[in-house]
Amino acid sequence: RKEVEQDPGPFNVPEGATVAFNCTYSNSASQSFFWYRQDCRKEPKLLMSVYSSGNEDGRFTAQLNRASQYISLLIRDSKLSDSATYLCVVIPGGYNKLIFGAGTRLAVHP
Amino acid sequence: NAGVMQNPRHLVRRRGQEARLRCSPMKGHSHVYWYRQLPEEGLKFMVYLQKENIIDESGMPKERFSAEFPKEGPSILRIQQVVRGDSAAYFCASSPPGSGAKGFYEQYFGPGTRLTVT
């Protein structure tokens, strides 16, 4: 079983739509959780951290459910510029070794 | 403040040759990480280094791969006798001193080196 699993998509949505991505992780001792964004053939960039209490940043909301080992990302009012691959990332503990999911591809169309 | 720099950006090697990938961390950062991204896959952790020390190399293949981060100069990821399966994007990231001990410090990624083995 992969350490971090994501639906690869692609999710094809119109501008203005709300879209949700899910991610599960296998190591119950994992300590920190993040969503990164990766544009085609570019480096990944931190989008937001994920907390059990939920975390909102503008149109983006991230949620963590430790009991179910499940992480979510909600994007409201999708923009064309949101088209990218969204990477679920977990730090299992100790050092800052990032464990990446394979990513979920989002394509927002006019 | 320049970001993480990697060179070369593109590298083509024939099977059996050596590949050397360089990473200069952000100014003031003393922690360097290397990740590999195979086509259509997610990034995979390879190695975590501090100046002159390898902290965690659990993601490094057992043979042909080595990494260093000398006191002076960039971090180097070295792949000996490359094979077609080594073709990938190799990303370097850096973070400030104290990363891990005091919680998460964001890792800043470089633009990557795309290695193609022919």
Side-chain angles (χ1 to χ4, degrees):
Chain A
R1 184 185 171 187
K2 291 182 180 178
E3 290 186 78
V4 179
E5 297 210 55
Q6 296 181 250
D7 179 347
F11 285 63
N12 294 301
V13 303
E15 277 186 285
T18 295
V19 61
F21 305 138
N22 303 318
C23 163
T24 57
Y25 60 96
S26 60
N27 185 346
S28 59
S30 296
Q31 297 184 0
S32 303
F33 310 87
F34 311 90
W35 285 99
Y36 274 69
R37 171 191 169 132
Q38 186 176 28
D39 292 285
C40 186
R41 302 180 71 78
K42 298 258 180 92
E43 71 272 24
K45 294 185 178 176
L46 179 64
L47 181 65
M48 61 196 306
S49 302
V50 189
Y51 308 113
S52 296
S53 56
N55 187 22
E56 187 172 319
D57 184 1
R59 297 181 294 109
F60 298 82
T61 301
Q63 198 81 41
L64 165 66
N65 183 323
R66 282 189 183 270
S68 303
Q69 295 178 210
Y70 171 96
I71 304 162
S72 64
L73 176 68
L74 183 76
I75 305 176
R76 290 180 297 277
D77 189 22
S78 299
K79 312 289 185 192
L80 295 175
S81 57
D82 294 335
S83 297
T85 297
Y86 291 83
L87 305 171
C88 178
V89 181
V90 170
I91 294 182
Y95 307 114
N96 287 339
K97 175 172 127 179
L98 303 182
I99 307 297
F100 285 83
T104 299
R105 198 176 306 171
L106 172 65
V108 181
H109 57 81
Chain B
N1 185 12
V4 178
M5 299 176 68
Q6 290 188 247
N7 67 81
R9 295 289 304 276
H10 299 274
L11 181 62
V12 180
R13 285 286 178 265
R14 290 199 195 93
R15 278 180 296 170
Q17 291 185 318
E18 178 179 290
R20 280 185 178 239
L21 288 62
R22 294 175 187 77
C23 170
S24 296
M26 284 181 71
K27 188 176 180 181
H29 285 193
S30 57
H31 297 234
V32 165
Y33 312 81
W34 285 93
Y35 295 85
R36 175 166 68 172
Q37 187 171 31
L38 295 169
E40 305 302 320
E41 292 190 18
L43 281 81
K44 295 283 194 288
F45 168 81
M46 299 181 75
V47 63
Y48 163 38
L49 309 105
Q50 296 178 20
K51 286 283 187 180
E52 300 185 281
N53 283 306
I54 297 175
I55 307 302
D56 181 350
E57 57 181 346
S58 58
M60 288 279 270
K62 293 286 186 282
E63 297 175 348
R64 303 187 297 108
F65 284 72
S66 62
E68 62 176 6
F69 188 16
K71 189 176 180 182
E72 302 291 338
S75 175
I76 306 285
L77 179 68
R78 182 182 177 208
I79 311 172
Q80 296 178 289
Q81 299 176 311
V82 296
V83 300
R84 288 228 172 98
D86 296 333
S87 296
Y90 292 82
F91 290 98
C92 166
S94 72
S95 63
S99 298
K102 297 180 181 178
F104 175 73
Y105 286 81
E106 181 177 349
Q107 291 184 21
Y108 295 84
F109 282 81
T113 294
R114 300 194 179 276
L115 172 65
T116 301
V117 179
T118 62

